Amino acid sequence: FTTKALNQNNNQAIKSISKQDYLTAVSSNSIHYLYLKYWKLAPNTQKNRMLITASLTLLSIYILAPTLVTVFQSQEEKDRMFTSKRQDKFTTGLINTRNDCFANSSIQAFAAMPGLDVYLNDILKQHKLLDKLPTSSEAPKLPLHEALATIVQELQETITTQHYVSVWPFLQVIEKIFNSKISTNQNDAHELVQLILETLDNENTKLKKFVKQSNLNFVIPEMPFNGLLADQLTCLSCLNSSKPSFHPFAVLSLAVPQTSITSLEEMVKKNEVETINGYNCLRCKIKAILKVEKDQPTNSTAETQKLVAELKQKESNISINDDLPEDLDKFVKNYSYGGFKTENLQSTIVKKTLVVKPPRLLTVHLSRSMFTGTQVTRNSCR
């Protein structure tokens, strides 16, 4: 109806059409005309160019529109735009002014642990109380504890506008402690975390020692990152084991397997058991020496017979990696008879590693370095 009315230039019909209907009619005819001229009858190559041009134009508008809007905004409008009454909209960020990503990622990890907040609050509170006591000597300072608490608090505090801080005031405290400069080149996050944990542990230990020497009734909190590992070796040839060896740890290093994907639980389980080839088992060597000496005619020297007798007496109480007296150790290592030599006697062992005292805060280092024979590459296992 509207098209016919327009074509006939019927004034009466036009008068009866509303302004909105008129604009719709014109628009519809224009779109139809453009569709026929520039799209339906256009060759495929031209259609492709039109699609690409339109897509790039829309993408450019999408990317640049916020920036263009802020250019023409007043400072008051900008403040309103980047301010929120919601307490969960903004979080403090860490700016990367140089090659700071190694430190930023480490500090972000520390800031995400409520257990660290509890520890820092506790030990700094105890330290503040110690400073007020009349003691013969001043309590040792806790510069890294204080610096870590400061930057963690900055990252956790509630903000209503965009805000960022630099990690370098914290790193400068480390530089001052060790009287050296941290390189501005690429650094390793694992090494930094290890250094931070060792320094925190040293400060904690000094404070405990001061409290003990001063006979003060203070309980200094334990370092939440400290745990205890136990290793034990078992020889698959003689089925004897080593005595458990205990050693503290602050970072649990796990080798990432050369597979496409794995889980943290699988890596922890695999780390508990390791097979080692070419091991020099002391029990296997002593057992072989006693067998050779038993089977051969008694033509050994008096010194050899004396050493063999000592080995026979000690054998049942010796583990696979014990330390022998110097004369016995030299005898076992250099023993040979006929074609047999103890230095050639090797076996396969199983190493078991267990966490006997887990830390309250477990720090895991995923070792991704792989040596291909000519170069070191990164393991991209997910």
Side-chain angles (χ1 to χ4, degrees), residues 72-268:
F72 297 101
Q73 282 182 324
S74 65
Q75 186 60 45
E76 184 179 352
E77 290 173 328
K78 291 179 182 179
D79 291 341
R80 283 200 305 268
M81 180 178 177
F82 294 108
T83 303
S84 174
K85 293 182 179 179
R86 284 174 47 190
Q87 295 184 348
D88 60 345
K89 185 172 182 179
F90 295 109
T91 55
T92 301
L94 285 164
I95 191 171
N96 189 357
T97 55
R98 311 174 203 176
N99 293 314
D100 301 345
C101 54
F102 78 101
N104 288 348
S105 59
S106 303
I107 297 303
Q108 283 174 329
F110 283 124
M113 293 185 290
L116 178 60
D117 298 347
V118 174
Y119 167 73
L120 290 174
N121 287 332
D122 195 0
I123 193 169
L124 292 177
K125 178 183 177 182
Q126 299 287 355
H127 187 263
K128 191 174 182 180
L129 292 173
L130 284 172
D131 281 341
K132 296 180 180 179
L133 293 178
T135 55
S136 58
S137 58
E138 186 180 2
K141 301 298 183 183
L142 303 176
L144 197 61
H145 279 80
E146 293 173 355
L148 184 58
T150 298
I151 194 168
V152 165
Q153 182 183 10
E154 288 178 324
L155 295 174
Q156 292 179 350
E157 65 183 354
T158 301
I159 58 173
T160 56
T161 60
Q162 287 187 342
H163 181 58
Y164 61 82
V165 296
S166 171
V167 76
W168 275 97
F170 173 78
L171 296 181
Q172 286 166 359
V173 173
I174 297 179
E175 290 180 334
K176 186 176 180 181
I177 291 172
F178 291 96
N179 194 26
S180 63
K181 289 289 183 181
I182 295 177
S183 170
T184 56
N185 297 324
Q186 292 289 344
N187 289 281
D188 186 74
H190 169 231
E191 292 179 358
L192 177 64
V193 169
Q194 190 82 41
L195 180 65
I196 292 172
L197 295 183
E198 288 177 0
T199 307
L200 292 175
D201 190 44
N202 289 337
E203 291 182 356
N204 183 292
T205 302
K206 289 179 181 177
L207 191 62
K208 286 180 180 176
K209 187 177 180 181
F210 170 80
V211 169
K212 186 177 180 180
Q213 291 176 344
S214 302
N215 294 319
L216 298 174
N217 189 22
F218 272 80
V219 179
I220 304 302
E222 296 290 334
M223 263 284 288
F225 298 95
N226 288 349
L228 190 66
L229 290 173
D231 293 336
Q232 189 169 32
L233 311 175
T234 301
C235 177
L236 298 182
S237 297
C238 66
L239 301 181
N240 288 293
S241 300
S242 67
K243 294 175 182 176
S245 61
F246 301 92
H247 47 94
F249 77 98
V251 177
L252 183 64
S253 290
L254 301 176
V256 178
Q258 296 184 31
T259 57
S260 59
I261 187 171
T262 188
S263 70
L264 184 60
E265 184 179 3
E266 289 173 352
M267 283 191 289
V268 170

Side-chain angles (χ1 to χ4, degrees), residues 270-310:
K270 187 174 181 181
N271 187 67
E272 291 178 350
V273 180
E274 180 184 4
T275 302
I276 302 173
N277 298 316
Y279 185 80
N280 294 309
C281 173
L282 180 60
R283 285 293 295 269
C284 285
K285 292 186 176 184
I286 293 176
K287 185 178 179 180
I289 291 173
L290 295 178
K291 186 176 185 305
V292 171
E293 289 295 321
K294 180 180 178 181
D295 294 341
Q296 72 170 339
T298 56
N299 56 358
S300 301
T301 63
E303 181 64 23
T304 299
Q305 291 178 10
K306 177 188 174 184
L307 294 172
V308 170
E310 285 187 45

Side-chain angles (χ1 to χ4, degrees), residues 53-64:
T53 302
S55 299
L56 291 175
T57 302
L58 290 172
L59 181 61
S60 300
I61 293 173
Y62 175 78
I63 294 173
L64 296 176

